[in-house]
Amino acid sequence: MGTVEPQVAADAQAAVTDGFQLVIDALKLNGIDTIYGLPGIPITDLTRRAQAEGLRVLSFRHEQSAGYAASIAGFLTQKPGICLTVSAPGFLNGLNALAHATTNCFPMILVSGSSEREIVDLQQGDYEEMDQLAIAKPLAKAAFRVLHAADIGVGVARAIRAAVSGRPGGVYLDLPAKLFAQTIDVAAGRSSLIKVVDPAPRQIPAPEALERALDLLRGAKKPLIILGKGAAYAQADADIKSLVEKTGIPYLPMSMAKGLLPDTHEQCASAARSFVLPAADVVMLIGARLNWLLSHGKGKTWGGKGHKDWGGQKFIQVDISPTEADSNVRVDAPVVGDIGSCVCGLLAGLGNWPQPPADWLNAIHEKKSANVAKMAETLAKNPSPMNFHSALAVVRDIVRANPDAMFVNEGANALDFTRSIVDMYKPRKRIDVGTWGIMGVGMGYCVAAAVVTRQPVIAVEGDSAFGFSGMEVETICRYNLPVCVVILNNNGVYKGTDINPRGGDVAPTVFVKDARYEKLMEAFGGVGVYARTPAELRQGMEQALRSRKPTLINAVIDETAGTESGRITSLNPSAKKK
Ligand SMILES: Cc1ncc(C[n+]2csc(CCOP(=O)(O)OP(=O)(O)O)c2C)c(N)n1
Ligand SMILES: [Mg+2]
């Protein structure tokens, strides 16, 4: 019988599982197949074992990029994007993305290893000592710590529910080093795991709220619909399109809602934005908040006399959160529920819907036509050096020809001009700086967009914006992702012409002149293109989309072309001083 003994021992050994394994099992059980992270103590073996178990583990050069990737994966998939970091400094590098996810309502879980509780709590100076849970809490929708292997299932389940239910957000999950090596009985481990049932339950709006909203909208003389990224997140594309088309109401897409209906749709009022906002009498917000991006629903943008005066509009607000209404101005008809259920309810109640008054539609049409014609004239010019417009006329054509490509955008002028010039044709294609106007999301977004959608990715980046995540071009090359980065290079932040009046150092907004960013991509085996004309840019982009090779096009833009802060010059305190 002696020969059987090793088998018994092996069985006995196999009859336990550990913290590493339970974390992996819990994620897999809940359909999570990708981890965005950066290895090191105490999570290196978690990344190795996750990969060995068939999870896709994408390693970044900086946790911030991994975090942004996870956050946008959450936006695109409605499943929490997982960012995995080491303790203290790694955790802090990921924290920006966690806060970004919470602010933008993207479901994400920052999973971070942490140091020994006993030492951290007595502040005895552990390796990478930090009370991470306390620091994460105010920046996250929820924050949890797991101390026992048997609780990993509950911890992961709670994190998933918190991230995706109701208004989605960033969740922090703290896993101390000791947890990973803890062993428990395999059967007990298995039964401790939870497959989350209905993680983001539908929230049905009240019938009277729908009726109130429809009554208000029906009586409007100058109705307007504003679609926010909450509407894009909801994946209720067909119903949203149907609601807009059946009501015949003009609509404005917020930046990341572009493409929910094609920007070329006849009801799209983007080209007449500064006309419709002050003129509208009833505005229905769908998954859009009245924050700074909509001038808080008041002030001159909305036809108010002073910069804080109400313009007289009545608002209908369709939102998942009951506390969103009245955040800035009175909301006369809040409709609270998930966007899909709300839009479905509104559609059901339309009945014999009267089309909006013709004079309203005609006035918008007139403004639109005039502005579109003016823009066409500007875009047709071919100045030398190239400016934002002549470069973006090329990008606009390429996106029109490749409507399935994902589109990443950050910068100031590089953002604002692109948003207004480059039309989107399909939902959730455009991903950008979001609620905060944050720089640094670029390359992380590119990685996640390529991995999640398997579509080619086009990124239009300011040269400053690109710098925040530029090292991730190595990540893009390593995973051989079909990403075409276009840097609109104007030698600096806003423009490259500032002068330091004292001489010596260059001005704070100015970079090295004629920097050759394309060589960064070549350094890792990708394709670099130096483009000084629209024709060279077009050729580079077409080639990149054909080859699906990682490509970086350094598009040289007139360094005098930008304006201070792009389109938000008015937020600069110096502008307020006047
Ligand atoms: C994390 C972060 N840091 C700083 C800023 C301030 N900021 C706004 S736009 C911008 C860069 C603008 O320059 P660039 O990307 O080159 O765009 P350009 O206007 O030159 O086209 C900066 C630094 C920010 N928004 N986010
Ligand atoms: Mg610039």
Side-chain angles (χ1 to χ4, degrees):
M1 295 299 280
T3 52
V4 180
E5 268 168 21
Q7 187 58 41
V8 173
D11 282 351
Q13 225 170 25
V16 295
T17 185
D18 64 10
F20 287 117
Q21 190 61 43
L22 287 164
V23 172
I24 294 163
D25 290 346
L27 293 175
K28 282 176 77 169
L29 184 64
N30 285 289
I32 287 166
D33 54 13
T34 307
I35 292 174
Y36 304 87
L38 201 159
I41 289 175
I43 51 97
T44 316
D45 284 332
L46 184 59
T47 62
R48 290 195 184 108
R49 287 173 60 174
Q51 190 173 52
E53 293 269 342
L55 282 160
R56 186 139 198 219
V57 180
L58 295 158
S59 241
F60 287 72
R61 305 302 295 260
H62 192 291
E63 290 89 350
Q64 187 170 293
S65 293
Y68 289 145
S71 75
I72 207 66
F75 169 76
L76 293 170
T77 63
Q78 298 183 325
K79 280 199 272 182
I82 306 293
C83 174
L84 180 62
T85 67
V86 304
S87 12
F91 158 79
L92 286 173
N93 285 345
L95 207 52
N96 202 324
L98 181 72
H100 169 76
T102 304
T103 301
N104 283 274
C105 317
F106 298 158
M108 167 190 168
I109 303 173
L110 175 63
V111 181
S112 184
S114 60
S115 301
E116 298 306 335
R117 287 258 32 96
E118 294 83 349
I119 305 179
V120 172
D121 287 348
L122 280 171
Q123 298 177 29
Q124 295 175 305
D126 201 5
Y127 168 72
E128 299 191 345
E129 174 181 295
M130 177 170 278
D131 187 1
Q132 296 172 195
L133 187 70
I135 290 165
K137 251 182 200 162
L139 303 173
K141 186 181 168 195
F144 306 102
R145 174 157 52 222
V146 182
L147 292 178
H148 302 292
D151 292 332
I152 286 172
V154 169
V156 170
R158 300 212 72 190
I160 291 172
R161 276 199 190 281
V164 297
S165 63
R167 171 174 280 181
V171 174
Y172 178 59
L173 186 61
D174 191 274
L175 305 180
K178 264 191 196 167
L179 177 75
F180 296 112
Q182 276 180 33
T183 54
I184 60 170
D185 178 73
V186 164
R190 195 177 299 129
S191 71
S192 73
L193 299 182
I194 295 173
K195 185 168 165 49
V196 177
V197 176
D198 196 11
R202 284 195 301 155
Q203 297 188 17
I204 313 292
E208 62 274 20
L210 291 168
E211 220 168 285
R212 191 187 296 121
L214 287 169
D215 285 348
L216 184 55
L217 197 60
R218 199 180 285 113
K221 299 272 179 297
K222 298 173 173 183
L224 177 69
I225 292 174
I226 297 182
L227 301 172
K229 67 177 168 327
Y233 176 81
Q235 300 194 16
D237 309 332
D239 279 353
I240 289 171
K241 181 163 184 283
S242 184
L243 181 69
V244 170
E245 290 182 340
K246 284 194 174 143
T247 59
I249 296 174
Y251 73 95
L252 280 180
M254 299 301 288
S255 194
M256 281 175 59
K258 276 164 71 76
L260 263 178
L261 293 87
D263 283 336
T264 48
H265 196 282
E266 62 165 355
Q267 285 171 256
C268 181
S270 293
R273 187 180 195 269
S274 57
F275 170 71
V276 291
L277 289 182
D281 62 350
V282 176
V283 179
M284 179 158 73
L285 303 154
I286 303 181
R289 293 172 287 183
L290 283 176
N291 58 20
W292 70 281
L293 288 158
L294 284 169
S295 307
H296 307 281
K298 58 193 171 191
K300 293 193 173 154
T301 307
W302 292 88
K305 279 208 182 74
H307 89 280
K308 287 208 160 174
D309 291 335
W310 178 50
Q313 288 82 7
K314 303 228 177 224
F315 287 101
I316 298 163
Q317 186 153 34
V318 180
D319 202 280
I320 186 85
S321 166
T323 55
E324 187 55 45
D326 304 329
S327 61
N328 286 273
V329 291
R330 179 174 59 239
V331 167
D332 292 278
V335 180
V336 176
D338 68 277
I339 302 286
S341 300
C342 291
V343 170
C344 189
L346 289 167
L347 266 176
L350 285 186
N352 203 357
W353 190 263
Q355 290 302 292
D359 54 351
W360 173 233
L361 301 183
N362 291 340
I364 296 171
H365 183 73
E366 231 168 81
K367 290 280 172 206
K368 250 179 84 169
S369 306
N371 288 340
V372 168
K374 219 185 323 173
M375 179 59 94
E377 218 174 277
T378 314
L379 292 179
K381 288 181 189 151
N382 189 5
S384 180
M386 185 155 65
N387 64 9
F388 287 103
H389 291 89
S390 58
L392 287 168
V394 171
V395 177
R396 187 188 55 165
D397 291 350
I398 301 278
V399 170
R400 189 195 297 130
N402 298 275
D404 287 312
M406 290 297 297
F407 193 81
V408 175
N409 190 201
E410 61 178 339
N413 295 279
L415 176 88
D416 293 336
F417 285 124
T418 305
R419 187 181 50 237
S420 59
I421 292 169
V422 177
D423 292 325
M424 306 308 299
Y425 299 88
K426 296 197 175 182
R428 290 173 300 284
K429 295 298 180 187
R430 186 186 157 89
I431 49 181
D432 65 26
V433 300
T435 309
W436 267 343
I438 202 166
M439 298 299 116
V441 293
M443 298 305 104
Y445 273 19
C446 285
V447 172
V451 165
V452 166
T453 70
R454 299 179 182 280
Q455 295 291 339
V457 181
I458 298 166
V460 173
E461 300 270 314
D463 51 330
S464 165
F466 172 75
F468 287 75
S469 65
M471 194 63 205
E472 302 297 345
V473 296
E474 189 277 328
T475 313
I476 289 167
C477 289
R478 185 167 10 113
Y479 297 116
N480 194 24
L481 299 173
V483 174
C484 173
V485 182
V486 176
I487 296 181
L488 299 180
N489 184 4
N490 62 352
N491 293 344
V493 177
Y494 313 139
K495 47 187 164 185
T497 50
D498 271 10
I499 304 279
N500 175 357
R502 296 174 67 97
D505 292 342
V506 297
T509 52
V510 168
F511 296 151
V512 166
K513 305 275 181 199
D514 197 28
R516 299 301 292 265
Y517 290 102
E518 75 279 11
K519 294 191 191 295
L520 209 58
M521 189 60 105
E522 288 170 359
F524 305 109
V527 177
V529 177
Y530 184 62
R532 269 168 305 186
T533 63
E536 286 167 357
L537 174 58
R538 188 182 301 271
Q539 200 190 358
M541 290 187 79
E542 282 173 350
Q543 179 61 24
L545 283 154
R546 249 195 319 270
S547 71
R548 292 179 70 101
K549 280 191 191 145
T551 301
L552 193 157
I553 304 175
N554 183 4
V556 181
I557 300 292
D558 181 355
E559 67 173 4
T560 68
T563 58
E564 176 85 13
S565 315
R567 207 143 308 156
I568 54 173
T569 311
S570 61
L571 297 183
N572 184 333
S574 302
K576 289 215 161 78
K577 217 171 74 183
K578 287 191 245 143

